[in-house]
């Protein structure tokens, strides 16, 4: 809960966070994906004190709900601990490391004091670029440039000129000069998050971390690294990570077995499963002060099988953090038809897992039939392109859906059952 001595809609992120990518797309927190503003290559320090960002902070101080922050408001409406809530209460941090803003020794008043925050952010969320080896169904080419090839195909063959897979068509990553600029921005930083793209494929990440070590910053900094688990950490990077105060690695996994491969094409499940054990062994070796957290993005595709997925992670001793996918809308669980959603709710409730309560509440919360139709049409197109089959991969789920939508993915010409 937000401290009641402050406006109830206040968020600490604009005063302490900065999220950005190599193109200087910027947002105040990772929940917004780093793409609220673009300041045309301005220096980071100038961006941090820009009049637009200053106005955003003032908007918060006046207890207004800024329109760009809808994700947190939507999550809180269904009972989830949003990014905003986590800022206020480090004990809610799912990593178990209590590394949120108010665990830094600073009070909320300190953080919102202009004399403090104008020195620079306390936490950087660095979107390393769009270099990634996977083409996850609910992702986009701003996060994985490999999706752009598919996006062009759908534009040419289906007339979908503005499809989600065509957000970007050029590869981007940080230059050495940009790395040096970020380093100059780190004097006040106590936490850095990396996501992408795939951070473990980015050669600039070790360079950046080594510079922090050389400046004696590392021992005060907690790191958070998100990975798709298709890569391991090499010995050189393990040595680098060991110099930091604490490291948390988010294992991004949305399905088990063939369901993982379907959602996160063309990831090989056998290798990912071995890598999960490898990361667990790395933690137990204590070569790094390390914690692990599974981050699962909840979409129409995997919501029915969440109880089984969470059971698998329980057996491995891994905590799971559930993230609701809001975009593209046709993958949001809010757009599952009510009759289908009711059966999913029954299954989730029967699992007796409290962490699924917000998921139950979010189902069909704003259903639009047009988005369900888009989910079906996109599934057909992508299945055909990739020679995959939703009905074969999610057979029990498909049988349930067809009780309410008899024409659900039955085109035999595309190889579906």
């Amino acid at each position: 809960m937000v401290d009641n001595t402050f406006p109830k809609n206040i968020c600490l992120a604009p005063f302490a966070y900065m999220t950005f990518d190599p193109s200087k797309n910027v947002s105040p927190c990772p929940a917004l994906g780093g793409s609220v503003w673009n300041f045309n290559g301005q220096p980071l320090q100038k961006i941090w004190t820009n009049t637009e960002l200053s106005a955003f902070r003032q908007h918060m101080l006046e207890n207004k709900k800024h329109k760009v922050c809808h994700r947190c408001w939507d999550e809180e409406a269904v009972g989830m601990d949003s990014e905003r809530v986590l800022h206020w209460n480090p004990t809610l941090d799912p990593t178990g490391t209590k590394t949120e803003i108010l665990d830094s020794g600073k009070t909320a008043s300190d953080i919102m004091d202009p004399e403090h925050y104008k020195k620079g952010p306390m936490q950087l969320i660095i979107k390393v670029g769009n270099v990634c080896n996977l083409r996850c169904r609910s992702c986009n080419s701003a996060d994985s440039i490999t999706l752009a090839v598919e996006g062009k195909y759908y534009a040419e063959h289906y007339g979908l000129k503005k499809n989600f897979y065509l957000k970007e068509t050029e590869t981007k990553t940080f230059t050495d000069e940009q790395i040096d600029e970020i380093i100059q921005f780190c004097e006040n930083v106590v936490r850095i998050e990396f996501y992408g793209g795939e951070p473990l494929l980015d050669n600039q990440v070790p360079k950046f971390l080594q510079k922090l070590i050389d400046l004696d910053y590392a021992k005060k900094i907690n790191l958070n690294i998100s990975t798709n688990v298709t890569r391991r950490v090499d010995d050189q990077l393990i040595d680098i990570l060991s110099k930091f105060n604490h490291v948390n690695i988010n294992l991004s996994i949305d399905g088990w077995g063939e369901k993982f491969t379907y959602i996160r094409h063309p990831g090989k499940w056998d290798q990912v499963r071995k890598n999960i054990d490898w990361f667990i062994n790395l933690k137990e070796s204590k070569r790094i002060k390390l914690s692990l957290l599974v981050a699962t993005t909840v979409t129409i595709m995997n919501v029915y099988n969440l109880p089984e997925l969470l059971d698998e992670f329980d057996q491995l001793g891994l905590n799971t953090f559930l993230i609701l996918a809001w975009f593209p809308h046709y993958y949001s669980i809010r757009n599952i038809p009510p009759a289908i959603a009711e059966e999913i709710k029954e299954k989730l409730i029967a699992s007796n897992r409290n962490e699924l309560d917000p998921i139950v509440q979010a189902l069909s919360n704003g259903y639009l039939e047009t988005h369900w139709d888009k989910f079906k049409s996109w599934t057909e197109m992508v299945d055909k392109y990739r020679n995959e089959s939703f009905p074969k991969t999610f057979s029990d789920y498909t049988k349930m859906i067809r009780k309410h939508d008899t024409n659900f993915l039955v085109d035999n010409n595309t190889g579906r059952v």
Side-chain angles (χ1 to χ4, degrees), residues 266-284:
K268 305 301 181 186
W269 173 249
D270 288 347
Q271 184 59 51
V272 168
R273 181 64 188 85
K274 292 175 183 176
N275 288 347
I276 294 172
D277 287 339
W278 185 89
F279 277 108
I280 292 172
N281 290 334
L282 177 62
K283 176 186 175 183
E284 293 174 350

Side-chain angles (χ1 to χ4, degrees), residues 137-138 165 262-263 299-303 328-337 340 344 367-383 389-391 394 397-398 401 405 408-409 416:
R137 294 231 175 188
S138 59
Y165 296 161
Y262 181 93
I263 296 171
T299 65
I300 287 179
M301 293 175 285
N302 65 358
V303 63
H329 293 298
Y330 50 83
Y331 281 123
S332 169
I333 64 172
R334 294 176 297 177
N335 289 306
I336 296 175
I340 298 171
I344 297 173
Y367 165 68
L368 288 175
E369 184 176 0
T370 54
H371 290 315
W372 177 249
D373 290 339
K374 283 185 179 180
F375 165 68
K376 292 192 291 184
S377 64
W378 269 100
T379 299
E380 287 182 350
M381 283 187 291
V382 180
D383 275 4
S389 170
F390 184 98
F394 302 89
Y397 188 16
T398 298
I401 292 173
D405 185 346
F408 182 75
L409 305 182
R416 284 176 292 280

Side-chain angles (χ1 to χ4, degrees), residues 115-400:
E115 293 300 315
H116 178 268
Y117 71 72
K118 285 184 179 180
K119 295 177 183 177
M122 298 172 65
Q123 304 199 37
L124 299 181
I125 300 90
I126 301 175
K127 187 174 182 181
V128 297
N130 58 12
V131 176
C132 185
N133 57 325
L134 299 187
R135 288 181 274 156
C136 303
R137 294 231 175 188
S138 59
C139 193
N140 65 82
S141 55
D143 296 328
S144 176
I145 192 61
T146 59
L147 280 165
V149 174
E150 277 193 52
K152 291 175 183 177
Y153 177 87
Y154 302 134
E156 292 170 2
H157 290 78
Y158 296 94
L160 300 168
K161 303 299 183 184
K162 294 183 178 181
N163 71 74
F164 211 58
Y165 296 161
L166 272 181
K167 291 190 71 174
E168 291 181 353
T169 57
E170 301 293 332
T171 299
K172 64 182 182 185
T173 188
F174 284 100
T175 65
D176 289 344
E177 291 76 17
Q178 286 178 312
I179 292 295
D180 289 337
E181 181 190 357
I182 300 170
I183 289 291
Q184 295 171 17
F185 201 47
C186 286
E187 187 173 352
N188 204 39
V189 169
V190 296
R191 177 172 175 165
I192 300 174
E193 299 183 26
F194 295 99
Y195 69 110
E198 170 52 47
L200 297 185
L201 285 175
D202 194 292
N203 293 329
Q204 295 293 60
V205 171
K207 284 186 187 179
F208 172 66
L209 294 177
Q210 185 60 56
K211 286 177 180 287
L212 291 173
I213 294 169
D214 294 342
L215 288 169
D216 203 29
Y217 287 166
K219 61 188 178 185
K220 69 168 183 176
I221 293 176
N222 295 306
L223 299 178
N224 197 72
I225 302 172
S226 293
T227 176
N228 61 30
V229 208
T230 62
R231 293 290 188 274
R232 299 180 183 182
V233 182
D234 62 32
D235 286 339
Q236 178 187 10
L237 185 53
I238 288 174
D239 183 62
I240 289 172
L241 295 176
S242 70
K243 306 298 194 299
F244 285 81
N245 184 58
H246 189 88
V247 179
N248 177 71
I249 295 181
N250 290 330
L251 308 174
S252 297
I253 306 170
D254 302 335
W256 195 267
E258 63 179 351
K259 296 178 177 64
F260 172 90
T261 299
Y262 181 93
I263 296 171
R264 290 182 170 262
H265 178 95
K268 305 301 181 186
W269 173 249
D270 288 347
Q271 184 59 51
V272 168
R273 181 64 188 85
K274 292 175 183 176
N275 288 347
I276 294 172
D277 287 339
W278 185 89
F279 277 108
I280 292 172
N281 290 334
L282 177 62
K283 176 186 175 183
E284 293 174 350
S285 75
K286 299 187 178 179
R287 295 175 67 187
I288 308 171
K289 287 176 277 187
L290 178 65
S291 58
L292 298 174
L293 176 71
V294 176
T296 296
T297 300
V298 180
T299 65
I300 287 179
M301 293 175 285
N302 65 358
V303 63
Y304 185 76
N305 298 107
L306 284 179
E308 295 85 354
L309 181 61
L310 296 178
D311 286 346
E312 296 286 358
F313 297 138
D314 283 351
Q315 291 180 30
L316 292 171
L318 295 171
N319 292 331
T320 308
F321 184 59
L322 299 178
I323 306 165
L324 282 175
W326 300 108
F327 299 103
H329 293 298
Y330 50 83
Y331 281 123
S332 169
I333 64 172
R334 294 176 297 177
N335 289 306
I336 296 175
I340 298 171
E342 284 304 314
E343 288 215 35
I344 297 173
K345 288 179 184 180
E346 290 177 8
K347 185 172 184 285
L348 300 189
I349 292 170
S351 71
N352 293 316
R353 302 191 70 108
N354 293 335
E355 66 266 49
L356 294 178
D357 290 348
I359 309 302
V360 170
Q361 191 168 341
L363 280 160
S364 291
N365 185 7
Y367 165 68
L368 288 175
E369 184 176 0
T370 54
H371 290 315
W372 177 249
D373 290 339
K374 283 185 179 180
F375 165 68
K376 292 192 291 184
S377 64
W378 269 100
T379 299
E380 287 182 350
M381 283 187 291
V382 180
D383 275 4
K384 186 173 183 179
Y385 182 90
R386 298 181 178 181
N387 194 28
E388 295 177 339
S389 170
F390 184 98
K392 288 179 180 177
T393 306
F394 302 89
S395 56
D396 290 344
Y397 188 16
T398 298
K399 289 177 184 176
M400 184 274 286

